[in-house]
Amino acid sequence: MGFFKSLFGGKEETPEEKKEREEARDFDVLKTNGLQALRTGKWDYAVKCLTMALEIKEDLETHDYLSRAYLNGGQLREAFAQLRILAEAQPDNLQVLITMAHVALMMEDFNLVNETCEKALAIDNDNAEVVYIYARAAQAQQDLVNAVALFTKATILSPDFNSAYLERGGILLGMGDIEGAEEDADHLLEVAPDTEEVLMLKARVLMAQQRTAEAISFFDRVIEVNPFHATAFLERGAAHQALGDSTAAEEDLKQALEIDPNALNGISGSFSNNQKQCPNS
C-alpha cells in the first residue's frame, strides 16, 4: 500500500489522521442521529446522541440541539446549562438570553430570571418579550403592582402583545380594579374574539359586575370553543346558582367533575341537595 502511495505521489495516512477522520465521521453520525431524534420527539435518545457527539467535538449548534432536547424532555436545569454555554460563546445573542429567561421562569428561579432579563435588556432595552418575562416573574412572586406596571410597559412597547393584556386584566380583576380589567377584556375581544382565555376573562369581569346572565353567555362561548374546559363549567355553574337555577348548576358541576375529578379542590360551599356548591365569584 505504501509503495503505490509513493508511486502516485500520495501520502500515507498517519494513525493520528485516521483517528481524526474516524472521530469526524462518528461526530457527524451522532449529531445527525440526535437531530433526527429531536425532530421525531425521541428526547432521551436525542440527549444520548448529542451528548456523545459533544464528547468528541465542541460544537455550538450541537449544544443548541441538546438544549432543545433537554427542554422538551422537561429537564430544565440541564437545558439552561446548555443555553448558558451558548450565551457565554455569543454574549450578544439576544434570542439565547430570552430563551434562558423563559426556562428560568419555568424553573421558578426568579433571581435567575431577573439576572438574565437584565443581560437581555442591556442588549435591547425596548424588547417587549423580555419585559413580559420580567412581569411574569413579578406576578409569580405576588409583586402585583410591579407586574401590572411591567405588563403595561410591554403593551406600550408592543401594542399587539395580547398575552400582556390578558395577564394584566386578570391581575386587575383580582385587585378589584374591575374597570381596568374590563378595558383589557374588551380590547382583547376586538382582536381575539374566539380565544377561550379572553372569553373567560370577560365572563369573570361580568360576574364581578353582577351581570350574571351576560356572564353565562360568555361561559357558553368558552365551552363552545373548548368543550373540555372544566373551570368554565364550574364557574358557569356558580353563575346559574347565583340566579337560583340549581338544576343547571348541578349539571355543570357534574360536567366539570367528569372532565376533571379534582375540579373542586380549594372550593368551599355546598350545592342544594347536599352537593358541593360552585364558587360564587
Side-chain angles (χ1 to χ4, degrees), residues 27-49:
F27 173 82
D28 288 339
V29 170
L30 288 166
K31 181 178 178 180
T32 300
N33 288 348
L35 180 56
Q36 181 63 28
L38 181 60
R39 288 172 173 168
T40 55
K42 300 175 182 176
W43 318 127
D44 290 342
Y45 186 62
V47 166
K48 182 178 179 180
C49 290

Side-chain angles (χ1 to χ4, degrees), residues 212-213 216 220 233-253 270-273 275-278 280:
T212 309
I216 288 173
D220 291 344
F233 278 107
L234 195 62
E235 295 189 24
R236 188 177 69 176
H240 282 305
Q241 187 72 19
L243 293 179
D245 189 345
S246 297
T247 301
E250 290 173 16
E251 183 59 35
D252 276 344
L253 172 63
S270 60
F271 267 106
S272 59
N273 298 327
Q275 296 192 58
K276 210 165 185 181
Q277 183 179 353
C278 292
N280 291 321

Side-chain angles (χ1 to χ4, degrees), residues 70-273:
Y70 278 134
L71 186 56
N72 283 300
Q75 295 175 267
L76 301 180
R77 292 206 173 273
E78 292 82 355
F80 192 90
Q82 295 300 314
L83 290 164
R84 192 192 292 276
I85 292 171
L86 295 175
E88 289 174 352
Q90 302 172 336
D92 293 330
N93 190 324
L94 179 62
Q95 190 54 55
V96 169
L97 290 170
I98 290 174
T99 304
M100 289 174 69
H102 277 295
V103 175
L105 184 63
M106 287 189 284
M107 292 192 299
E108 298 184 350
D109 189 332
F110 302 117
N111 289 333
L112 204 52
V113 173
N114 295 342
E115 173 189 323
T116 308
C117 285
E118 287 298 328
K119 291 179 180 178
L121 291 173
I123 298 171
D124 181 3
N125 191 52
D126 293 329
N127 188 282
E129 187 172 3
V130 177
V131 174
Y132 175 80
I133 298 169
Y134 233 148
R136 288 291 305 275
Q139 180 183 21
Q141 296 174 91
Q142 294 301 304
D143 185 1
L144 300 183
V145 173
N146 277 331
V148 168
L150 288 165
F151 283 129
T152 300
K153 182 177 179 180
T155 64
I156 293 170
L157 292 172
S158 179
D160 59 350
F161 206 142
N162 293 344
S163 294
Y165 288 102
L166 183 66
E167 297 295 341
R168 184 179 66 182
I171 294 174
L172 292 174
L173 182 60
M175 294 172 69
D177 184 354
I178 300 173
E179 183 178 350
E182 182 178 31
E183 289 179 5
D184 281 341
D186 289 345
H187 167 77
L188 289 168
L189 282 171
E190 292 180 2
V191 297
D194 298 318
T195 305
E196 61 188 79
E197 294 85 359
V198 172
L199 296 170
M200 280 294 291
L201 177 60
K202 180 62 177 179
R204 287 166 171 167
V205 168
L206 290 168
M207 286 295 291
Q209 295 172 326
Q210 298 185 346
R211 296 159 63 186
T212 309
E214 293 175 71
I216 288 173
S217 70
F218 277 91
F219 287 128
D220 291 344
R221 289 174 62 181
V222 175
I223 292 166
E224 287 174 7
V225 173
N226 178 6
F228 302 100
H229 200 304
T231 304
F233 278 107
L234 195 62
E235 295 189 24
R236 188 177 69 176
H240 282 305
Q241 187 72 19
L243 293 179
D245 189 345
S246 297
T247 301
E250 290 173 16
E251 183 59 35
D252 276 344
L253 172 63
K254 291 176 185 177
Q255 290 287 343
L257 292 175
E258 285 180 9
I259 296 167
D260 179 8
N262 298 314
L264 282 175
N265 283 357
I267 302 299
S268 61
S270 60
F271 267 106
S272 59
N273 298 327

Side-chain angles (χ1 to χ4, degrees), residues 13-30 56:
E13 187 177 45
T14 66
E16 292 78 11
E17 289 171 335
K18 180 180 179 181
K19 181 182 179 182
E20 288 179 3
R21 176 174 56 80
E22 290 177 346
E23 287 182 345
R25 178 200 62 201
D26 291 345
F27 173 82
D28 288 339
V29 170
L30 288 166
I56 297 172

